Amino acid sequence: MMMPANFSAISENEMTYVNGGASLADILAPSLEVKNWQKFNTNMVTIIGNSFLGKYVENTVGVLFNGAYKPGNLGNAWLTGVKGAYGTGYDAGFGKHGDEQTAGDKFLNGGNGVLNAGLRMVGSAAAIYNLATGTVKNDASEKAWKVEF
């Protein structure tokens, strides 16, 4: 009997099955759907907001109710935080620092400062989102308060 050139006669127990096994997609994590990405984004905003929440409350409620408020203090507190983020970002910039700065170095450092000031504002927005969508814990109802005379 004549067989084609690419034919190889093997016994049944030597056969390898290619159908019915697990594929790479079955082994890896399931694919993310839109609802998963929405949950991921919500969780990221919550994490970022939580990290900025204390500073945000201090710069708003703390300034308003610290006993020394005067008009303009609230804006100054916010601007001071943004300027601080810009300065920190500028100091951590990629360009040279000090007297040997070129225009390019100032541009790189300034860009990094603007990036950090922008991220500071995003963090404040995330804190506002947390305050708008979450429930604040009430210490008066959560703790056993002792009154001693």
Side-chain angles (χ1 to χ4, degrees), residues 5 9 15 17-18 35 42 46-47 56 65 77 94 97 117 135 137 141-142:
M15 292 180 69
Y17 294 97
V18 293
K35 66 180 180 176
T42 301
T46 302
I47 290 168
Y56 179 76
F65 297 102
F94 302 104
H97 296 281
T135 303
K137 183 177 176 182
S141 65
E142 299 290 329

Side-chain angles (χ1 to χ4, degrees), residues 12-30:
E12 203 173 314
N13 62 352
E14 293 176 336
M15 292 180 69
T16 304
Y17 294 97
V18 293
N19 292 334
S23 68
L24 189 59
D26 294 332
I27 297 169
L28 299 176

Side-chain angles (χ1 to χ4, degrees), residues 54-69 73-74 77:
K55 192 73 170 166
Y56 179 76
V57 170
E58 177 185 324
N59 282 340
T60 55
V61 178
V63 169
L64 285 172
F65 297 102
N66 68 359
Y69 176 77
N73 281 3
L74 195 57

